Amino acid sequence: IEKKKTELYQELGLQARDLRFQHLMSIATRNNRIIMRMEFLKAVITPEFLLILDYRHLNVEHWLGNELASQLAGEGQLVTYSLPFEFRAIEAILQYWISKLQGRLNTLQPQILETLEALVDPKLFSVDRSKLHVLLQNGKSLSELETDLKVFKETILEILDEEELIEELCLSKWTDPQVFEKSTSGIDHAEEMELLLENYYRQAEDLANEARELRVLIDDSESIIFINLDSHRNVMMRLNLQLTMGTFSLSLFGLIGVAFGMNLESSLEEDPRIFWLVTGIMFLGSGLMWRRLLSFLGRHLEPALPPHVPAVLKKSQPAAGRAEIKNSLKAETFGLSRNTLTNH
């Protein structure tokens, strides 16, 4: 139906601000009416009907036409059909919103895992920027999902912390006198409402934990990516340093050839063997110098050996609370002096 806003809030006995569209989540009661805001979805619940405001959204239309009617009639997966109408309406809306959040998480999770698997490859010497762009977009979507889950949980938790708010959500309890009679016979609608809200709070908490695990996985993968890049960078720096040392060695012994290349006469240039002798000395000296520099580099770049740790007495805690020493320890472990243990 289409109706003017002024006529609608006068008919429902609400204020104009109650029908204002806001991109936030809230569950409140006004004049024996429940107003639920779930971002683009806004609903007004009475003991007799459920009013969805501005449903022109593709997914909402599918939900309205195929799922909502059966949920309100108690024919679907819901088990609260014996309770008043507002219980079924609240549960239908909460179920729809949890399904939306679950669908967003199911869409993000395989994309993030596939992107991380392609990035965290030790064989790659560089990072694909297109994959990083995809990971950045998925990370932003994951942050938005975490924010929506946090707001959803806070909205429900705010009601669970106040017993009066839970009582106000039970509309039929205040309008139908027979509800009081049923409540006295063992059915407490406030407790049923509390259990209903706690159920969806736990579902939101489970989704938040899954999203948190994805966030931790992204952070750990970023650390692995940086470690791989640093490792490849260190290899290139080491190769560059080796080539620099080789060039230095060759240049140092190349001074001999420079000396013989000067336009100065000596008796050495008359001997035909001097050329091969000087050339051999140059290359042999350059090779020895390079090997010496490489050995010096290897000694200073090799990781230090871990310190020696003496055998530690392994203890086990029995039922009586005593610590038993295992018989498999070597005898010399018991012979260690106090000074030796202190030095270690």
Side-chain angles (χ1 to χ4, degrees), residues 311 329-337:
L329 294 175
K330 295 182 180 179
E332 57 268 17
T333 304
F334 297 96
L336 292 175
S337 64

Side-chain angles (χ1 to χ4, degrees), residues 27 196 244:
I27 302 175
L196 187 150
T244 302

Side-chain angles (χ1 to χ4, degrees), residues 121-171:
D121 189 354
K123 298 180 181 179
L124 296 178
F125 288 90
S126 61
V127 179
D128 190 357
R129 293 187 176 182
S130 61
K131 296 291 185 181
L132 286 178
H133 180 70
V134 173
L135 182 62
L136 178 61
Q137 297 296 328
N138 292 333
K140 291 181 179 179
S141 301
L142 184 61
S143 299
E144 295 175 358
L145 177 60
E146 290 176 336
T147 303
D148 292 342
L149 286 170
K150 180 181 177 182
V151 174
F152 183 83
K153 289 165 50 183
E154 291 176 351
T155 302
I156 297 181
L157 189 61
E158 182 179 355
I159 299 176
L160 292 175
D161 291 339
E162 298 290 339
E163 295 182 1
E164 296 180 356
L165 296 178
I166 298 177
E167 292 282 350
E168 292 176 357
L169 293 179
C170 303
L171 302 181

Side-chain angles (χ1 to χ4, degrees), residues 105 201-211:
L105 181 62
Y201 180 83
R202 287 194 297 267
Q203 293 186 32
E205 183 68 24
D206 293 340
L207 293 180
N209 291 334
E210 295 182 15

Side-chain angles (χ1 to χ4, degrees), residues 50-65:
L50 167 64
L51 181 64
I52 303 295
L53 303 179
D54 194 10
Y55 67 91
R56 293 178 179 85
H57 192 275
L58 181 60
N59 295 329
V60 177
E61 290 181 355
H62 175 76
W63 171 62
L64 287 175

Side-chain angles (χ1 to χ4, degrees), residues 18-30:
D18 296 330
L19 301 181
R20 187 179 300 119
F21 285 93
Q22 299 174 354
H23 290 282
L24 50 86
M25 295 185 185
S26 64
I27 302 175
T29 56
R30 296 283 192 278

Side-chain angles (χ1 to χ4, degrees), residues 254-266 269 275 278 282:
L255 295 176
I256 300 177
V258 174
F260 280 93
M262 294 187 295
N263 294 326
L264 298 177
E265 296 182 356
S266 63
E269 65 269 8
F275 172 79
V278 172
M282 288 173 53

